[in-house]
Amino acid sequence: NRYCVIMGGGVGSRFWPFSRNSRPKQFLDFFGIGRSLLQMSYDRFVKIIPKDHIFIVTNEIYVDVIKEQLPELPEANILLEPARRNTAPCIAWAAYHIRAINPNANIVVAPSDHLILKEEEFARCINLGLEFVAKYPALLTLGIKPNRPETGYGYIQIGEDAEGDIKTVKTFTEKPNLEFAKMFVESGEFFWNSGIFIWNVQTIIKAFQRFLPDISNRFEEHNEVFNTPAEQAFINDNFAACPNISIDFGIMEKASNVFVLCADFGWSDLGSWSALYDHSPKNKDGNVAQGCKTLLYNTANNVIAVKGDKLVVVEGLKDYIVAEADNVLLICPKSEEQKIKQFVTDAKMAY
Ligand code: GDD
Ligand code: MG
């Protein structure tokens, strides 16, 4: 009774213009190795969990990309959302769907856009976590030791030892401001939420009933449709009415049965151009070039990602992102990359 849910419906806007609404970052072959981040996530899980038990939840507009990238995945294991409602409704649907198949399922819920370097250690942690949630009604998250006050993550304050490397959680704070993030990191008591969760299907459904009944009541009332031919029509009629909220704000911050497995498997969120920069091979001046030929003079520590086999010639540029894809060219200091989300919104308004 081991299952996996890969969430692949986000937009990855901080990677614009490479990441576009039509093909967000989880579908991109970031390192030029012939596998997208989604495919790499799938490859990691298929070693631990039977293929038929792996589900991808995504927006309906990505159905063709998913089928193209994961032809071996049974079609019934692709759950298609008619609207974007963030991760809580996505996780709820997957839980109700899987409960209809196996009411005692233990489920790993994972993002589709992370980098994990130590795969064996990752597999060991997932196995440990699955064993733990089979025994206890716990909402388990995998925690990562923080090395900077990143504001884009959830922060977990650890409590007492529970079992092995698993600890109780005192507080869970999703995306704190910089001041709090700094305090959390300095205190040494906090871990980052990796966004990988493990729980028994009954435990997570109970949490939805308690904290997000607007979602669970709707699903509970039509419990009989899940895993039947009537399911998609029900979702198409009801999904958009679910509140738009992440699992972190909706449940993890509020629940008291949260546990954390403190893990170290070479995790990176790959949330931004700088993260890609950090994980890519560089030339002697610290430049990363992707998808293009370059002639660089007095130019250091940039990430230059230009599609379409162009020659990029640069003089005197330091610590910048130069990214061109389709009809957009972005030039932005790496230090200002958090503004890219805003640029995307503004570009939509203006053009
Ligand atoms: N199916 C579906 N539908 N998937 C979605 C949706 C949606 O509406 N929205 C986001 N996702 C997917 C994304 O593609 C990604 O794989 C995953 O869910 C997490 O969403 P993000 O939008 O990337 O979340 P985040 O990075 O801001 O924050 C989460 O991850 C951090 C670590 O990377 C939180 O869990 C944080 O607490 C955590 O630290
Ligand atoms: Mg993310």
Side-chain angles (χ1 to χ4, degrees), residues 175-207:
K175 299 191 173 59
N177 63 28
L178 187 61
E179 204 182 323
F180 275 100
K182 278 185 181 153
M183 236 161 57
F184 291 166
V185 175
E186 275 161 25
S187 79
E189 278 178 42
F190 285 79
F191 277 67
W192 282 334
N193 174 33
S194 66
I196 303 168
F197 306 106
I198 310 181
W199 40 54
N200 182 273
V201 69
Q202 306 289 347
T203 315
I204 188 63
I205 286 180
K206 268 198 198 115

PDB file of all heavy atoms in Angstrom, residues 175-207:
ATOM      1  N   LYS A 175       6.771  30.522   4.418  1.00  0.00           N
ATOM      2  CA  LYS A 175       7.275  31.752   3.797  1.00  0.00           C
ATOM      3  C   LYS A 175       7.284  32.963   4.747  1.00  0.00           C
ATOM      4  O   LYS A 175       6.535  33.925   4.563  1.00  0.00           O
ATOM      5  CB  LYS A 175       6.475  32.068   2.532  1.00  0.00           C
ATOM      6  CG  LYS A 175       6.573  30.964   1.480  1.00  0.00           C
ATOM      7  CD  LYS A 175       6.000  31.394   0.159  1.00  0.00           C
ATOM      8  CE  LYS A 175       6.223  30.391  -0.947  1.00  0.00           C
ATOM      9  NZ  LYS A 175       5.692  29.049  -0.762  1.00  0.00           N
ATOM     10  N   PRO A 176       8.152  32.932   5.753  1.00  0.00           N
ATOM     11  CA  PRO A 176       8.252  34.052   6.686  1.00  0.00           C
ATOM     12  C   PRO A 176       8.879  35.260   5.986  1.00  0.00           C
ATOM     13  O   PRO A 176       9.466  35.107   4.909  1.00  0.00           O
ATOM     14  CB  PRO A 176       9.195  33.525   7.760  1.00  0.00           C
ATOM     15  CG  PRO A 176      10.038  32.522   7.053  1.00  0.00           C
ATOM     16  CD  PRO A 176       9.155  31.890   6.022  1.00  0.00           C
ATOM     17  N   ASN A 177       8.801  36.438   6.625  1.00  0.00           N
ATOM     18  CA  ASN A 177       9.541  37.579   6.067  1.00  0.00           C
ATOM     19  C   ASN A 177      11.022  37.414   6.422  1.00  0.00           C
ATOM     20  O   ASN A 177      11.399  36.529   7.192  1.00  0.00           O
ATOM     21  CB  ASN A 177       8.963  38.912   6.546  1.00  0.00           C
ATOM     22  CG  ASN A 177       9.076  39.060   8.062  1.00  0.00           C
ATOM     23  OD1 ASN A 177       9.976  38.494   8.688  1.00  0.00           O
ATOM     24  ND2 ASN A 177       8.175  39.806   8.640  1.00  0.00           N
ATOM     25  N   LEU A 178      11.850  38.293   5.841  1.00  0.00           N
ATOM     26  CA  LEU A 178      13.304  38.126   5.961  1.00  0.00           C
ATOM     27  C   LEU A 178      13.776  38.174   7.410  1.00  0.00           C
ATOM     28  O   LEU A 178      14.638  37.402   7.827  1.00  0.00           O
ATOM     29  CB  LEU A 178      14.017  39.191   5.121  1.00  0.00           C
ATOM     30  CG  LEU A 178      15.534  39.039   5.030  1.00  0.00           C
ATOM     31  CD1 LEU A 178      15.924  37.706   4.390  1.00  0.00           C
ATOM     32  CD2 LEU A 178      16.147  40.196   4.239  1.00  0.00           C
ATOM     33  N   GLU A 179      13.155  39.073   8.174  1.00  0.00           N
ATOM     34  CA  GLU A 179      13.540  39.232   9.571  1.00  0.00           C
ATOM     35  C   GLU A 179      13.353  37.912  10.338  1.00  0.00           C
ATOM     36  O   GLU A 179      14.238  37.452  11.055  1.00  0.00           O
ATOM     37  CB  GLU A 179      12.621  40.301  10.158  1.00  0.00           C
ATOM     38  CG  GLU A 179      13.137  41.021  11.356  1.00  0.00           C
ATOM     39  CD  GLU A 179      12.053  42.012  11.812  1.00  0.00           C
ATOM     40  OE1 GLU A 179      11.377  42.595  10.921  1.00  0.00           O
ATOM     41  OE2 GLU A 179      11.855  42.145  13.022  1.00  0.00           O
ATOM     42  N   PHE A 180      12.198  37.313  10.157  1.00  0.00           N
ATOM     43  CA  PHE A 180      11.927  36.032  10.827  1.00  0.00           C
ATOM     44  C   PHE A 180      12.820  34.927  10.279  1.00  0.00           C
ATOM     45  O   PHE A 180      13.351  34.121  11.035  1.00  0.00           O
ATOM     46  CB  PHE A 180      10.451  35.660  10.691  1.00  0.00           C
ATOM     47  CG  PHE A 180       9.588  36.289  11.740  1.00  0.00           C
ATOM     48  CD1 PHE A 180       8.845  37.423  11.465  1.00  0.00           C
ATOM     49  CD2 PHE A 180       9.545  35.762  13.026  1.00  0.00           C
ATOM     50  CE1 PHE A 180       8.055  38.015  12.446  1.00  0.00           C
ATOM     51  CE2 PHE A 180       8.762  36.344  14.012  1.00  0.00           C
ATOM     52  CZ  PHE A 180       8.019  37.476  13.724  1.00  0.00           C
ATOM     53  N   ALA A 181      12.988  34.916   8.974  1.00  0.00           N
ATOM     54  CA  ALA A 181      13.816  33.865   8.366  1.00  0.00           C
ATOM     55  C   ALA A 181      15.223  33.911   8.964  1.00  0.00           C
ATOM     56  O   ALA A 181      15.810  32.869   9.297  1.00  0.00           O
ATOM     57  CB  ALA A 181      13.842  34.030   6.845  1.00  0.00           C
ATOM     58  N   LYS A 182      15.752  35.114   9.139  1.00  0.00           N
ATOM     59  CA  LYS A 182      17.101  35.264   9.716  1.00  0.00           C
ATOM     60  C   LYS A 182      17.133  34.715  11.143  1.00  0.00           C
ATOM     61  O   LYS A 182      18.042  33.980  11.512  1.00  0.00           O
ATOM     62  CB  LYS A 182      17.506  36.741   9.739  1.00  0.00           C
ATOM     63  CG  LYS A 182      18.034  37.225   8.404  1.00  0.00           C
ATOM     64  CD  LYS A 182      18.530  38.664   8.543  1.00  0.00           C
ATOM     65  CE  LYS A 182      19.043  39.175   7.203  1.00  0.00           C
ATOM     66  NZ  LYS A 182      18.920  40.647   7.106  1.00  0.00           N
ATOM     67  N   MET A 183      16.116  35.075  11.914  1.00  0.00           N
ATOM     68  CA  MET A 183      16.041  34.615  13.301  1.00  0.00           C
ATOM     69  C   MET A 183      15.958  33.081  13.349  1.00  0.00           C
ATOM     70  O   MET A 183      16.646  32.441  14.137  1.00  0.00           O
ATOM     71  CB  MET A 183      14.763  35.177  13.923  1.00  0.00           C
ATOM     72  CG  MET A 183      14.964  35.974  15.167  1.00  0.00           C
ATOM     73  SD  MET A 183      13.512  36.995  15.466  1.00  0.00           S
ATOM     74  CE  MET A 183      12.182  35.814  15.525  1.00  0.00           C
ATOM     75  N   PHE A 184      15.137  32.526  12.477  1.00  0.00           N
ATOM     76  CA  PHE A 184      14.951  31.075  12.453  1.00  0.00           C
ATOM     77  C   PHE A 184      16.273  30.365  12.155  1.00  0.00           C
ATOM     78  O   PHE A 184      16.641  29.400  12.823  1.00  0.00           O
ATOM     79  CB  PHE A 184      13.921  30.685  11.381  1.00  0.00           C
ATOM     80  CG  PHE A 184      12.504  31.109  11.691  1.00  0.00           C
ATOM     81  CD1 PHE A 184      11.528  31.088  10.692  1.00  0.00           C
ATOM     82  CD2 PHE A 184      12.124  31.516  12.969  1.00  0.00           C
ATOM     83  CE1 PHE A 184      10.219  31.463  10.969  1.00  0.00           C
ATOM     84  CE2 PHE A 184      10.818  31.891  13.250  1.00  0.00           C
ATOM     85  CZ  PHE A 184       9.863  31.870  12.247  1.00  0.00           C
ATOM     86  N   VAL A 185      16.995  30.877  11.154  1.00  0.00           N
ATOM     87  CA  VAL A 185      18.234  30.204  10.758  1.00  0.00           C
ATOM     88  C   VAL A 185      19.276  30.318  11.872  1.00  0.00           C
ATOM     89  O   VAL A 185      19.961  29.349  12.207  1.00  0.00           O
ATOM     90  CB  VAL A 185      18.772  30.771   9.422  1.00  0.00           C
ATOM     91  CG1 VAL A 185      20.126  30.167   9.075  1.00  0.00           C
ATOM     92  CG2 VAL A 185      17.774  30.512   8.296  1.00  0.00           C
ATOM     93  N   GLU A 186      19.359  31.520  12.463  1.00  0.00           N
ATOM     94  CA  GLU A 186      20.363  31.725  13.521  1.00  0.00           C
ATOM     95  C   GLU A 186      20.096  30.870  14.754  1.00  0.00           C
ATOM     96  O   GLU A 186      21.026  30.417  15.414  1.00  0.00           O
ATOM     97  CB  GLU A 186      20.419  33.207  13.925  1.00  0.00           C
ATOM     98  CG  GLU A 186      21.330  34.007  13.002  1.00  0.00           C
ATOM     99  CD  GLU A 186      21.057  35.503  13.075  1.00  0.00           C
ATOM    100  OE1 GLU A 186      20.546  35.971  14.116  1.00  0.00           O
ATOM    101  OE2 GLU A 186      21.351  36.194  12.068  1.00  0.00           O
ATOM    102  N   SER A 187      18.836  30.635  15.054  1.00  0.00           N
ATOM    103  CA  SER A 187      18.499  29.882  16.262  1.00  0.00           C
ATOM    104  C   SER A 187      18.963  28.421  16.194  1.00  0.00           C
ATOM    105  O   SER A 187      19.140  27.778  17.214  1.00  0.00           O
ATOM    106  CB  SER A 187      16.985  29.903  16.482  1.00  0.00           C
ATOM    107  OG  SER A 187      16.380  28.959  15.612  1.00  0.00           O
ATOM    108  N   GLY A 188      19.144  27.907  14.989  1.00  0.00           N
ATOM    109  CA  GLY A 188      19.552  26.514  14.839  1.00  0.00           C
ATOM    110  C   GLY A 188      18.457  25.512  15.146  1.00  0.00           C
ATOM    111  O   GLY A 188      18.665  24.301  15.080  1.00  0.00           O
ATOM    112  N   GLU A 189      17.258  25.996  15.443  1.00  0.00           N
ATOM    113  CA  GLU A 189      16.160  25.082  15.801  1.00  0.00           C
ATOM    114  C   GLU A 189      15.251  24.770  14.615  1.00  0.00           C
ATOM    115  O   GLU A 189      14.270  24.060  14.762  1.00  0.00           O
ATOM    116  CB  GLU A 189      15.259  25.751  16.862  1.00  0.00           C
ATOM    117  CG  GLU A 189      15.764  25.657  18.263  1.00  0.00           C
ATOM    118  CD  GLU A 189      14.820  26.385  19.228  1.00  0.00           C
ATOM    119  OE1 GLU A 189      13.588  26.253  19.083  1.00  0.00           O
ATOM    120  OE2 GLU A 189      15.322  27.085  20.103  1.00  0.00           O
ATOM    121  N   PHE A 190      15.542  25.406  13.476  1.00  0.00           N
ATOM    122  CA  PHE A 190      14.589  25.308  12.361  1.00  0.00           C
ATOM    123  C   PHE A 190      15.152  24.540  11.169  1.00  0.00           C
ATOM    124  O   PHE A 190      16.345  24.608  10.885  1.00  0.00           O
ATOM    125  CB  PHE A 190      14.194  26.708  11.902  1.00  0.00           C
ATOM    126  CG  PHE A 190      13.244  27.390  12.855  1.00  0.00           C
ATOM    127  CD1 PHE A 190      13.718  27.970  14.027  1.00  0.00           C
ATOM    128  CD2 PHE A 190      11.890  27.444  12.588  1.00  0.00           C
ATOM    129  CE1 PHE A 190      12.853  28.593  14.910  1.00  0.00           C
ATOM    130  CE2 PHE A 190      11.018  28.068  13.470  1.00  0.00           C
ATOM    131  CZ  PHE A 190      11.492  28.647  14.632  1.00  0.00           C
ATOM    132  N   PHE A 191      14.286  23.847  10.499  1.00  0.00           N
ATOM    133  CA  PHE A 191      14.621  23.188   9.239  1.00  0.00           C
ATOM    134  C   PHE A 191      13.725  23.771   8.143  1.00  0.00           C
ATOM    135  O   PHE A 191      12.644  24.271   8.429  1.00  0.00           O
ATOM    136  CB  PHE A 191      14.406  21.669   9.355  1.00  0.00           C
ATOM    137  CG  PHE A 191      15.574  20.962   9.994  1.00  0.00           C
ATOM    138  CD1 PHE A 191      15.893  21.176  11.327  1.00  0.00           C
ATOM    139  CD2 PHE A 191      16.367  20.100   9.237  1.00  0.00           C
ATOM    140  CE1 PHE A 191      16.983  20.548  11.915  1.00  0.00           C
ATOM    141  CE2 PHE A 191      17.459  19.463   9.813  1.00  0.00           C
ATOM    142  CZ  PHE A 191      17.772  19.683  11.151  1.00  0.00           C
ATOM    143  N   TRP A 192      14.184  23.681   6.895  1.00  0.00           N
ATOM    144  CA  TRP A 192      13.322  24.054   5.770  1.00  0.00           C
ATOM    145  C   TRP A 192      12.358  22.916   5.487  1.00  0.00           C
ATOM    146  O   TRP A 192      12.747  21.732   5.570  1.00  0.00           O
ATOM    147  CB  TRP A 192      14.152  24.259   4.502  1.00  0.00           C
ATOM    148  CG  TRP A 192      14.882  25.548   4.417  1.00  0.00           C
ATOM    149  CD1 TRP A 192      14.569  26.730   5.013  1.00  0.00           C
ATOM    150  CD2 TRP A 192      16.082  25.774   3.658  1.00  0.00           C
ATOM    151  NE1 TRP A 192      15.493  27.685   4.660  1.00  0.00           N
ATOM    152  CE2 TRP A 192      16.417  27.133   3.836  1.00  0.00           C
ATOM    153  CE3 TRP A 192      16.892  24.983   2.845  1.00  0.00           C
ATOM    154  CZ2 TRP A 192      17.541  27.707   3.226  1.00  0.00           C
ATOM    155  CZ3 TRP A 192      17.990  25.543   2.238  1.00  0.00           C
ATOM    156  CH2 TRP A 192      18.316  26.895   2.439  1.00  0.00           C
ATOM    157  N   ASN A 193      11.171  23.277   5.114  1.00  0.00           N
ATOM    158  CA  ASN A 193      10.257  22.268   4.595  1.00  0.00           C
ATOM    159  C   ASN A 193      10.655  21.967   3.155  1.00  0.00           C
ATOM    160  O   ASN A 193      10.702  22.866   2.317  1.00  0.00           O
ATOM    161  CB  ASN A 193       8.828  22.839   4.628  1.00  0.00           C
ATOM    162  CG  ASN A 193       7.843  21.916   3.966  1.00  0.00           C
ATOM    163  OD1 ASN A 193       7.998  20.696   4.016  1.00  0.00           O
ATOM    164  ND2 ASN A 193       6.818  22.484   3.346  1.00  0.00           N
ATOM    165  N   SER A 194      10.946  20.721   2.863  1.00  0.00           N
ATOM    166  CA  SER A 194      11.359  20.369   1.497  1.00  0.00           C
ATOM    167  C   SER A 194      10.172  20.333   0.546  1.00  0.00           C
ATOM    168  O   SER A 194      10.351  20.259  -0.663  1.00  0.00           O
ATOM    169  CB  SER A 194      12.024  18.990   1.495  1.00  0.00           C
ATOM    170  OG  SER A 194      11.039  18.018   1.836  1.00  0.00           O
ATOM    171  N   GLY A 195       8.954  20.348   1.089  1.00  0.00           N
ATOM    172  CA  GLY A 195       7.781  20.226   0.209  1.00  0.00           C
ATOM    173  C   GLY A 195       7.460  18.787  -0.144  1.00  0.00           C
ATOM    174  O   GLY A 195       6.586  18.524  -0.958  1.00  0.00           O
ATOM    175  N   ILE A 196       8.174  17.843   0.491  1.00  0.00           N
ATOM    176  CA  ILE A 196       7.889  16.410   0.296  1.00  0.00           C
ATOM    177  C   ILE A 196       7.193  15.916   1.566  1.00  0.00           C
ATOM    178  O   ILE A 196       7.751  16.028   2.657  1.00  0.00           O
ATOM    179  CB  ILE A 196       9.185  15.613   0.056  1.00  0.00           C
ATOM    180  CG1 ILE A 196       9.933  16.190  -1.147  1.00  0.00           C
ATOM    181  CG2 ILE A 196       8.888  14.120  -0.144  1.00  0.00           C
ATOM    182  CD1 ILE A 196      11.352  15.675  -1.285  1.00  0.00           C
ATOM    183  N   PHE A 197       5.987  15.418   1.413  1.00  0.00           N
ATOM    184  CA  PHE A 197       5.175  15.008   2.562  1.00  0.00           C
ATOM    185  C   PHE A 197       4.859  13.522   2.483  1.00  0.00           C
ATOM    186  O   PHE A 197       4.733  12.964   1.395  1.00  0.00           O
ATOM    187  CB  PHE A 197       3.849  15.782   2.567  1.00  0.00           C
ATOM    188  CG  PHE A 197       4.018  17.271   2.503  1.00  0.00           C
ATOM    189  CD1 PHE A 197       3.748  17.966   1.328  1.00  0.00           C
ATOM    190  CD2 PHE A 197       4.464  17.983   3.609  1.00  0.00           C
ATOM    191  CE1 PHE A 197       3.910  19.349   1.261  1.00  0.00           C
ATOM    192  CE2 PHE A 197       4.618  19.368   3.557  1.00  0.00           C
ATOM    193  CZ  PHE A 197       4.345  20.047   2.378  1.00  0.00           C
ATOM    194  N   ILE A 198       4.712  12.911   3.669  1.00  0.00           N
ATOM    195  CA  ILE A 198       4.349  11.493   3.713  1.00  0.00           C
ATOM    196  C   ILE A 198       3.257  11.314   4.760  1.00  0.00           C
ATOM    197  O   ILE A 198       3.363  11.862   5.864  1.00  0.00           O
ATOM    198  CB  ILE A 198       5.574  10.607   4.064  1.00  0.00           C
ATOM    199  CG1 ILE A 198       6.774  10.965   3.156  1.00  0.00           C
ATOM    200  CG2 ILE A 198       5.238   9.125   3.919  1.00  0.00           C
ATOM    201  CD1 ILE A 198       8.020  10.136   3.417  1.00  0.00           C
ATOM    202  N   TRP A 199       2.192  10.589   4.395  1.00  0.00           N
ATOM    203  CA  TRP A 199       1.107  10.355   5.351  1.00  0.00           C
ATOM    204  C   TRP A 199       0.246   9.197   4.892  1.00  0.00           C
ATOM    205  O   TRP A 199       0.265   8.793   3.722  1.00  0.00           O
ATOM    206  CB  TRP A 199       0.261  11.601   5.527  1.00  0.00           C
ATOM    207  CG  TRP A 199      -0.012  12.389   4.274  1.00  0.00           C
ATOM    208  CD1 TRP A 199      -0.547  11.913   3.112  1.00  0.00           C
ATOM    209  CD2 TRP A 199       0.243  13.794   4.056  1.00  0.00           C
ATOM    210  NE1 TRP A 199      -0.645  12.937   2.203  1.00  0.00           N
ATOM    211  CE2 TRP A 199      -0.175  14.093   2.757  1.00  0.00           C
ATOM    212  CE3 TRP A 199       0.761  14.817   4.854  1.00  0.00           C
ATOM    213  CZ2 TRP A 199      -0.066  15.381   2.223  1.00  0.00           C
ATOM    214  CZ3 TRP A 199       0.863  16.092   4.313  1.00  0.00           C
ATOM    215  CH2 TRP A 199       0.454  16.354   3.020  1.00  0.00           C
ATOM    216  N   ASN A 200      -0.528   8.688   5.839  1.00  0.00           N
ATOM    217  CA  ASN A 200      -1.542   7.705   5.492  1.00  0.00           C
ATOM    218  C   ASN A 200      -2.750   8.469   4.947  1.00  0.00           C
ATOM    219  O   ASN A 200      -3.041   9.579   5.392  1.00  0.00           O
ATOM    220  CB  ASN A 200      -1.917   6.894   6.740  1.00  0.00           C
ATOM    221  CG  ASN A 200      -2.941   5.819   6.403  1.00  0.00           C
ATOM    222  OD1 ASN A 200      -4.144   6.073   6.413  1.00  0.00           O
ATOM    223  ND2 ASN A 200      -2.465   4.628   6.085  1.00  0.00           N
ATOM    224  N   VAL A 201      -3.456   7.860   4.035  1.00  0.00           N
ATOM    225  CA  VAL A 201      -4.563   8.558   3.375  1.00  0.00           C
ATOM    226  C   VAL A 201      -5.635   8.974   4.375  1.00  0.00           C
ATOM    227  O   VAL A 201      -6.225  10.055   4.271  1.00  0.00           O
ATOM    228  CB  VAL A 201      -5.129   7.703   2.209  1.00  0.00           C
ATOM    229  CG1 VAL A 201      -5.853   6.454   2.693  1.00  0.00           C
ATOM    230  CG2 VAL A 201      -6.053   8.548   1.340  1.00  0.00           C
ATOM    231  N   GLN A 202      -5.848   8.145   5.418  1.00  0.00           N
ATOM    232  CA  GLN A 202      -6.863   8.494   6.418  1.00  0.00           C
ATOM    233  C   GLN A 202      -6.424   9.738   7.202  1.00  0.00           C
ATOM    234  O   GLN A 202      -7.242  10.596   7.538  1.00  0.00           O
ATOM    235  CB  GLN A 202      -7.079   7.342   7.412  1.00  0.00           C
ATOM    236  CG  GLN A 202      -7.416   6.014   6.770  1.00  0.00           C
ATOM    237  CD  GLN A 202      -8.823   5.982   6.157  1.00  0.00           C
ATOM    238  OE1 GLN A 202      -9.643   6.862   6.409  1.00  0.00           O
ATOM    239  NE2 GLN A 202      -9.094   4.974   5.343  1.00  0.00           N
ATOM    240  N   THR A 203      -5.138   9.817   7.506  1.00  0.00           N
ATOM    241  CA  THR A 203      -4.623  10.941   8.294  1.00  0.00           C
ATOM    242  C   THR A 203      -4.783  12.257   7.540  1.00  0.00           C
ATOM    243  O   THR A 203      -5.211  13.263   8.111  1.00  0.00           O
ATOM    244  CB  THR A 203      -3.129  10.721   8.629  1.00  0.00           C
ATOM    245  OG1 THR A 203      -2.945   9.379   9.073  1.00  0.00           O
ATOM    246  CG2 THR A 203      -2.651  11.689   9.685  1.00  0.00           C
ATOM    247  N   ILE A 204      -4.445  12.271   6.269  1.00  0.00           N
ATOM    248  CA  ILE A 204      -4.531  13.546   5.537  1.00  0.00           C
ATOM    249  C   ILE A 204      -5.996  13.928   5.304  1.00  0.00           C
ATOM    250  O   ILE A 204      -6.359  15.107   5.374  1.00  0.00           O
ATOM    251  CB  ILE A 204      -3.695  13.525   4.227  1.00  0.00           C
ATOM    252  CG1 ILE A 204      -3.657  14.927   3.600  1.00  0.00           C
ATOM    253  CG2 ILE A 204      -4.187  12.524   3.210  1.00  0.00           C
ATOM    254  CD1 ILE A 204      -2.996  15.984   4.440  1.00  0.00           C
ATOM    255  N   ILE A 205      -6.848  12.943   5.073  1.00  0.00           N
ATOM    256  CA  ILE A 205      -8.261  13.287   4.871  1.00  0.00           C
ATOM    257  C   ILE A 205      -8.854  13.861   6.168  1.00  0.00           C
ATOM    258  O   ILE A 205      -9.589  14.844   6.138  1.00  0.00           O
ATOM    259  CB  ILE A 205      -9.050  12.080   4.304  1.00  0.00           C
ATOM    260  CG1 ILE A 205      -8.653  11.915   2.820  1.00  0.00           C
ATOM    261  CG2 ILE A 205     -10.563  12.291   4.448  1.00  0.00           C
ATOM    262  CD1 ILE A 205      -9.325  10.786   2.084  1.00  0.00           C
ATOM    263  N   LYS A 206      -8.469  13.277   7.297  1.00  0.00           N
ATOM    264  CA  LYS A 206      -8.921  13.852   8.583  1.00  0.00           C
ATOM    265  C   LYS A 206      -8.455  15.301   8.726  1.00  0.00           C
ATOM    266  O   LYS A 206      -9.201  16.162   9.196  1.00  0.00           O
ATOM    267  CB  LYS A 206      -8.361  13.033   9.753  1.00  0.00           C
ATOM    268  CG  LYS A 206      -9.300  11.945  10.177  1.00  0.00           C
ATOM    269  CD  LYS A 206      -8.964  11.437  11.590  1.00  0.00           C
ATOM    270  CE  LYS A 206      -9.618  10.081  11.781  1.00  0.00           C
ATOM    271  NZ  LYS A 206      -8.663   8.975  11.950  1.00  0.00           N
ATOM    272  N   ALA A 207      -7.225  15.568   8.324  1.00  0.00           N
ATOM    273  CA  ALA A 207      -6.700  16.942   8.421  1.00  0.00           C
ATOM    274  C   ALA A 207      -7.497  17.888   7.518  1.00  0.00           C
ATOM    275  O   ALA A 207      -7.790  19.019   7.904  1.00  0.00           O
ATOM    276  CB  ALA A 207      -5.219  16.956   8.061  1.00  0.00           C
TER     277      ALA A 207
END
